[in-house]
Amino acid sequence: MEPAITIKLVFLAVGTAQGLFLALAVIGVRRGNTVANRFLAFLLLTFTFDLGVQFLIQSRFLAEMPRLFFITLISSFLYGPLVYLYTRALTTGPDFRFALRSLWHFVPFVVSILLLIPFYGLSDSELLELVYSEPDLDERLGLWLLGGLAVQLLPTPIIGIYTFLAFRSLIRHGRAIRNQFSSIDQIGLVWLRNLLIALLLLYVISIVAVFLAAPLGLEQTIDDVFYVAVVIVIYAIGYLGLRQPVIFTRNPAGEAAKKKYEKSAVDADMSNALLVELRQHMASAKPYLDGDLTLAELARQLKISQNYLSQVINEQTGKNFFDFVNEHRIEAAKRVLADPDRSDAKVLTIAMDAGFNSKTAFYEAFKKHVGQTPRQYRLSVVAAPD
């Protein structure tokens, strides 16, 4: 088992070094969501250590430190909880606290260490046989081999469950910010969604590797693809994580908000009156022209509580705050697009004047509310007969 270095191994080594550098860089960040930064750093370190051990295994340098092999077995139990807790920390924002009860997420990790206890007694040569061949350990370990089998198989469903929980937290975050903000370009966490999708792809590749690679004869190909993808994801996680925006979400949405409304002091008559006042204010003061308008600011202008305002918008219009405000912005933009005297006005200028903070956000909202792009709408209006 002479050590050998190939281009693939160089790639793994560089990825390991870069992952370690990014993890240390994230740990050193003191701005933004520091709790989320810690989870991100631990996630990067887990990827990095796992990648480093794979380098040792495939380069045959593991012969010098065979017991590092256990890292790649137990690290799989950390990915799911760390991804989920990182997502929770970002989507909850400043209110997130890592309580002691959250430690239960790491119980499977501790159990995996305990299940491997019989394997810790193997000699270095037996461990190397375990890694590079298929030794007969039945007489030595007996039923304890089942523990090793469990450590190999359990990470797959655990990672799947936590990936689902992370996506659910992200979806709830999206609903929450739409009930509080009129512009979500900087707080929508699209980059986190993309990272979760990338991690999901890694998960799918790992499942294929476990269950289909051998029957299809693609063990080496899938293995190479997987670790190249891991290195790319490490770069993406570190880079985008360091650039993460500050999330201000504090108020619950969805079912929690519905329960709050059930005990609300706003009855039908009061709700109708507030809706009339809200519509008059939107028409006269045009607060929607402020690109950074929030539920809190609009409630302050109307001199009512945020909960009352949110309830009126949600129940009376059937919309969240984000769509309610953007609907007014779209109507303002439509008036300009239909004005022949403003036919030379650029679409971006119209978007900004209507309260949008980006051309992309304007196009998405316009297509959603009107069913056409701004240019298509302008052409249809111009071409329409009097």
Side-chain angles (χ1 to χ4, degrees), residues 119-188:
F119 292 84
Y120 303 148
L122 296 176
S123 65
D124 288 356
S125 60
E126 287 174 320
L127 276 176
L128 291 175
E129 282 187 64
L130 184 64
V131 176
Y132 294 110
S133 59
E134 298 180 359
D136 184 5
L137 298 175
D138 290 351
E139 294 183 3
R140 177 77 182 271
L141 298 176
L143 290 176
W144 282 108
L145 285 173
L146 295 177
L149 182 62
V151 170
Q152 287 183 300
L153 297 180
L154 285 178
T156 299
I158 289 175
I159 292 174
I161 291 170
Y162 276 106
T163 301
F164 167 77
L165 294 175
F167 272 109
R168 187 178 68 172
S169 294
L170 191 59
I171 291 171
R172 288 179 174 176
H173 165 75
R175 292 172 181 167
I177 61 176
R178 281 171 169 76
N179 274 320
Q180 300 175 61
F181 300 92
S182 64
S183 177
I184 60 173
D185 293 354
Q186 300 301 315
I187 58 175

Side-chain angles (χ1 to χ4, degrees), residues 44-117:
L44 283 169
L45 286 174
T46 303
F47 269 119
T48 299
F49 287 140
D50 197 5
L51 203 62
V53 173
Q54 288 301 322
F55 166 80
L56 295 176
I57 291 174
Q58 298 188 34
S59 66
R60 302 284 178 167
F61 280 113
L62 187 68
E64 305 298 324
M65 299 167 284
R67 298 194 179 276
L68 290 179
F69 171 64
F70 292 116
I71 290 179
T72 198
L73 292 178
I74 63 177
S75 64
S76 300
F77 289 86
L78 291 176
Y79 290 123
L82 288 175
V83 168
Y84 170 68
L85 290 171
Y86 177 54
T87 303
R88 286 278 295 139
L90 280 180
T91 55
T92 303
D95 289 341
F96 182 82
R97 296 292 181 272
F98 183 73
L100 288 178
R101 65 177 180 273
S102 298
L103 289 174
W104 74 266
H105 291 291
F106 299 99
V107 169
F109 172 71
V110 175
V111 171
S112 72
I113 295 175
L114 297 177
L115 288 174
L116 292 176
I117 286 177

Side-chain angles (χ1 to χ4, degrees), residues 306-321:
Q306 293 184 52
N307 288 340
Y308 287 178
L309 178 58
S310 179
Q311 180 179 353
V312 169
I313 293 174
N314 295 163
E315 293 184 345
Q316 292 279 20
T317 70
K319 302 180 179 67
N320 54 45
F321 177 73

